[in-house]
Amino acid sequence: MGLCLISTKEISEYRRRWNAMVIDLRDPKDYRQWHIPGARNVPAEELETFMAQIPKNRLVIFYCQYGNTSIQEGCRYVKRGYRICSVAGGIDVYRRK
């Protein structure tokens, strides 16, 4: 199973799943300015510690500013056995919808 890319239009559907969590990988200042409702802020530099506490069968949706960091980190955690999706285009595209 590889990294799942989802569109900004799909994020609402994924957020409603009982086992899904949305993670904003940006710094806290950017998160406070604008974020996807229900998202938890876990800056990329804190992700290792956070993910160690998450069961591998939980669906985790990453996003960042433009999508690059979330794809990179998502691929890294998929290789470790996690179920990861990344929001294509990041918050930048989400805000424009």
Side-chain angles (χ1 to χ4, degrees):
M1 176 193 256
L3 178 69
C4 165
L5 284 179
I6 61 173
S7 72
T8 57
K9 293 177 183 178
E10 295 174 294
I11 191 69
S12 294
E13 175 189 329
Y14 275 84
R15 279 190 2 232
R16 287 192 288 267
R17 294 183 181 189
W18 69 272
N19 68 334
M21 65 177 4
V22 181
I23 304 297
D24 185 320
L25 299 175
R26 300 172 304 142
D27 67 53
K29 178 183 171 200
D30 292 333
Y31 174 82
R32 284 189 301 273
Q33 288 178 345
W34 180 262
H35 60 271
I36 294 172
R40 180 173 178 172
N41 185 223
V42 180
E45 58 272 5
E46 298 173 14
L47 194 56
E48 187 77 31
T49 302
F50 177 78
M51 290 301 290
Q53 303 168 37
I54 303 301
K56 290 188 176 182
N57 66 341
R58 184 102 190 247
L59 177 61
V60 183
I61 302 165
F62 289 161
Y63 74 90
C64 59
Q65 189 67 39
Y66 303 109
N68 298 332
T69 301
S70 62
I71 289 172
Q72 180 181 356
E73 293 295 337
C75 287
R76 188 163 67 107
Y77 283 96
V78 163
K79 288 178 185 174
R80 294 179 182 186
Y82 288 91
R83 295 180 57 214
I84 308 290
C85 290
S86 174
V87 178
I91 194 78
D92 190 53
V93 172
Y94 181 83
R95 285 183 69 176
R96 287 190 261 150
K97 74 168 187 134

